[in-house]
Amino acid sequence: MSGGGDDRHLKPATRLVRGGRRPEWTGPVVNPPVWRASTHLYASDAERQAAGRNNADGQFFYGRRGAPTQWALADALTAIEPGAYGTVLYPSGVAAIAGVMLSVMKPGERVLMTDNAYDPTRSMASGLLARLGVETTFFDPRDVDGFRAAVAGAKGVWLEAPGSLTFEMCDVPLLAGIARAAGAAVMLDNTWASPLGFAGLEHGCDIVMMSLSKHVGGHSDLMMGSASAGKRWYGMLRRVSHELGQVVSPDDAALAARGLRTMGVRLAAQTAAAKRVAAWLEGQPQVAQVLCPLLPSDPGHALWTRDFTGGCGLFSFVLASDDPAASARVADALELFGIGYSWGGYESLALPIRPEDYRSCMPGTGGAPALRLSIGLEDAEDLIADLGQALALV
Ligand SMILES: *Cc1c(COP(=O)(O)O)cnc(C)c1O
């Protein structure tokens, strides 16, 4: 769905509230109703034929092209993504990654992928993309000279900042500038920061995707993904998503739109709590290192401060113990943190991690036991006390 409305001059919090609520979609109520629709009826056969020829956004055609509920969510996401012409919705974040990759990459071409990319993105590179004849080279995003050498001849670059599990930052505008000068399209997984924390298109990226299952949903009850881009790449994303038959349910779209309205306050609260918990962890004798660009001591903090306008509640820490089972002991002892995948919900989660299992040229934690935390909306003091009693067992 292209659009985004005329709210570009308004601040992000205001756009978050107003986005997608066009009167023709909402009628007399606040939120766009749930339109469950496969068949759209036409007033005449001439109208049906005109709709087919026109193939425009925001026009009824057939359920696979959505209805106002999905259009409203996509429109709201475009409204909060500076530089976006349109947004495509996918049934999961991984489906969005596939939609982006298949829109950009062709057989015989090479994509450069940041080594700390989300694990399923790496699996897609070695699986689906390899089978389609797309070659992948992994790179350390902190090694700019290495990147400059590797990008020659590549048609696409996949970035993620900060990276999954270990949260190394990279210089997105610098890498994107080098990539574009070399003729490569720049794709960014912006799930961690969301457009509220990082305006990817304005920092040199061509396509920005995110998993809506995390911050946008925000309540651990929905799977969805999105990709936003300027006019040229939006057209390709839309075309490929139609060719692949990608569609999201109107019920889930309504749920995601509902989550979106409070994403700003949730992210602000979770970022503030994460900063407190991370700073406390840094002072504990059982903790060797905290991997969190929100902390002034983190090597990525300067880039995060320069380029980002926000963060989130997701970071990791490395235990000082050399017992590989120590991370599971801590996770099991935590009472306020659930053990589980996904993140960005209102409830805190803890996950023992082994990032080196998903790396080709970066060290991960070098085998040291580590945990990833997703800080929810509980009181940070309670979370710190819980971590304190669990760490005492290491
Ligand atoms: C979770 C996640 C995804 C995938 O999203 P799903 O909605 O779970 O498919 C993509 N990128 C990152 C960084 C993620 O954490």
Side-chain angles (χ1 to χ4, degrees), residues 50-69:
R53 280 193 302 274
N54 184 339
N55 186 24
D57 277 333
Q59 187 186 8
F60 289 116
F61 184 69
Y62 173 55
R64 222 184 306 109
R65 293 201 191 152
T69 322

Side-chain angles (χ1 to χ4, degrees), residues 304-316:
W304 180 72
T305 311
R306 188 192 72 184
D307 293 341
F308 284 52
T309 49
C312 72
L314 193 77
F315 66 93
S316 294

Side-chain angles (χ1 to χ4, degrees), residues 91-97 117-121 158 160 162-164 189-192 209-214 222-225 314 342-343 372:
S92 71
V94 165
I97 293 167
Y118 181 59
D119 169 33
T121 315
W158 187 272
E160 191 181 318
S164 277
D189 184 335
N190 197 33
T191 304
W192 188 87
M209 62 72 49
M210 64 176 163
S211 164
L212 307 183
S213 321
K214 315 292 170 51
L222 122 97
M223 300 293 297
M224 205 179 290
L314 193 77
S342 201
W343 46 276
R372 186 186 74 181

Side-chain angles (χ1 to χ4, degrees), residues 329-352:
R329 270 208 308 284
V330 171
D332 286 344
L334 288 168
E335 287 168 6
L336 298 179
F337 291 78
I339 302 174
Y341 290 114
S342 201
W343 46 276
Y346 64 88
E347 84 296 5
S348 290
L349 296 173
L351 186 73

Side-chain angles (χ1 to χ4, degrees), residues 263-288:
M263 180 169 78
V265 286
R266 282 187 285 106
L267 278 178
Q270 290 173 339
T271 303
K275 267 187 201 165
R276 279 183 67 190
V277 174
W280 177 83
L281 280 168
E282 221 175 12
Q284 302 311 301
Q286 300 93 340
V287 174

